[in-house]
Structure formats: C-alpha cells, structure tokens
Amino acid sequence: MDTLSQLLTFGNVFPGCRLLVVDDTQGLVVASILERLGGVGEAICIHETEFANYDIVRFFNFNPAIVKPMFTIRWDKLQSDYVASPREEVDGEVDSEKALKRRQAQKAFQDKRDEILKGGFDGLIIASSTTHPLGILEALAPLVAPSRQVVMYSMYKEPLLETLLKMREASCFLNPTITDCWLRQYQVLPGRSHPDMSSPGASGFLLTTTTILDRGDATPISSKVINPATKKARLDKEELETAL
C-alpha cells in the first residue's frame, strides 16, 4: 500500500490529467489511478495480450462514470506500421445495421489512436514485470509533454538501474532517481515497542524522473555564470570612471 501511494504521488495523478499506463499487476495500478481521477481525465492503458487483464478494476465496484476515463489498447496497434487485419475490416458488400455499427466503431478507434499518437500526456506510469522498462520508456516517452512525471515500478533494481543510466545519457530527463519502497511496521506497546520481525523484506523499487524540453539551441547555464571576481573588478572600474 505504501509503494502504491508513492507511485501515485510521484506520478502526480489528479482529476483531469491524461496518463499513459502500462500495468501488469492485473489492474491494481489502473484501479488506483481511476479512483484518483474521479471520472475526469484520461487513462490510456497499454497491454500486450489480446484482451487487457484488469480484473481488479471490477472488484473495486466502480460506477460507470469512474471507469469512463479508461481506454485500453494493444501495443501492436500503437506501432506506426499498424494496419487493420482483414478480420477487423468491414465487408463493403453488406450494407446492414451491424456493418454500419462496425464501421463507426473502427472510425472511433482510429480517431482515438491518432489522438494518442499526438502525445501531450501529463505523465507515464509503468508497473511491468514482463517487459523491460527501458523498451517501454523509449516507445512512450516521446508522447509525454515536457515538465511531466515518469514513474516506473519494479520488484528488482537491475532493470531500473539500466534504465536510469540511459536516462542520464539522454537530454530529455531531469534528475532520474531510484528509491527503495520498503516500509517496516512497528509494534508500539508499553515497554514492548520494537520493529515487526515478520514483515516482508521486499517492496520493490521506484524510478522517478521529470521530462524536459530537449532544445539543441539551448545555452547551458554554466556558460552564463559570471565570475564574481571579474564582476567586482568591472564594477570598481566603472565607479572609478564615474568619479573622474
């Protein structure tokens, strides 16, 4: 629970925001995000399988308005070379009500896909144990707007460490940091206060960073720093010329 709260806090999840979500925890992260959104905003949930496995969302007993911001899409349908399979295409020879509805659904999906690929999202939250976070980051980071949060969760530090090193080499991420999420409970009783010795020893790790605008013509701040000694000498010279 503490790890989940940190993930939502670092991800800056608030009503009205637009998020990209990769969740392999059977919907625990997605359900928590939907609860935070409160029915306002957008949660684009990307999955690998034919159908999204978000069973935990059902167990939250949300009303339809809370679940409305969720939109699920497969990874392959976000690829630039994606083409609808013949099974998904409408048979133009059959002008029936069913064919019309299918045509409308395809158009609505294509419009939504185009909207996703335009980017401008308010954050990226990743909790995946089947896909390396670096691959997910490289695919989805361009869709996140500048000055937004990227949060990754993993039970193991090594994948996050590799991703962190790549982030530091890039110029579009600010201060990537890995934190340990372990929370130890304490028994507090008169004369018998001590850590709970049976608490689990692993709660995973979080990698957090902020996206920044990558401008090749930007001037590094170090080039604008003025040497205090040079500045003082110039001021003394100006004062002397003024006095004369």
Side-chain angles (χ1 to χ4, degrees), residues 32-227:
S32 304
I33 291 173
L34 292 176
E35 186 178 32
R36 283 280 184 98
L37 292 179
V40 183
E42 191 175 23
I44 305 300
C45 306
I46 307 168
H47 57 92
E48 289 186 273
T49 55
E50 180 69 21
F51 301 101
N53 182 17
Y54 299 144
D55 289 340
I56 295 179
V57 176
R58 296 188 293 106
F59 300 144
F60 271 64
N61 294 323
F62 289 138
N63 61 59
I66 299 297
V67 184
K68 185 178 179 181
M70 181 175 67
F71 179 82
T72 61
I73 185 171
R74 287 205 320 261
W75 270 109
D76 61 316
K77 293 185 177 182
L78 285 178
Q79 304 301 318
S80 58
D81 57 350
Y82 169 75
V83 178
S85 63
R87 182 172 59 88
E88 297 175 341
E89 293 177 355
V90 179
D91 187 358
E93 298 178 358
V94 181
D95 190 13
S96 62
E97 182 179 355
K98 183 178 180 180
L100 179 61
K101 289 182 178 180
R102 195 172 181 182
R103 209 176 297 126
Q104 291 174 346
Q106 283 189 336
K107 184 179 184 305
F109 172 80
Q110 187 62 41
D111 293 342
K112 190 66 176 181
R113 178 180 178 272
D114 294 341
E115 179 186 340
I116 294 173
L117 294 178
K118 288 180 181 178
F121 286 90
D122 295 317
L124 170 61
I125 296 179
I126 302 171
S128 176
S129 58
T130 59
T131 307
H132 198 289
L134 181 57
I136 300 175
L137 180 72
E138 292 175 344
L140 299 181
L143 303 180
V144 182
S147 299
R148 301 300 192 271
Q149 301 301 312
V150 176
V151 185
M152 304 181 186
Y153 168 79
S154 176
M155 279 295 297
Y156 310 102
K157 182 171 60 176
E158 288 73 18
L160 297 183
L161 184 59
E162 182 180 349
T163 306
L164 179 140
L165 295 177
K166 291 294 184 180
M167 282 182 171
R168 290 184 174 175
E169 294 176 359
S171 57
C172 53
F173 299 106
L174 178 64
N175 191 29
T177 306
I178 295 179
T179 57
D180 188 350
C181 306
W182 185 49
L183 175 67
R184 188 166 191 174
Q185 298 181 346
Y186 279 75
Q187 170 184 293
V188 181
L189 294 172
R192 292 174 292 168
S193 295
H194 60 79
D196 189 354
M197 305 305 294
S198 61
S199 59
S203 298
F205 301 86
L206 285 178
L207 171 57
T208 60
T209 187
T210 303
T211 60
I212 57 177
L213 186 62
D214 183 14
R215 290 185 53 185
D217 59 343
T219 304
I221 191 172
S222 59
S223 64
K224 298 181 180 180
V225 176
I226 301 176
N227 188 341

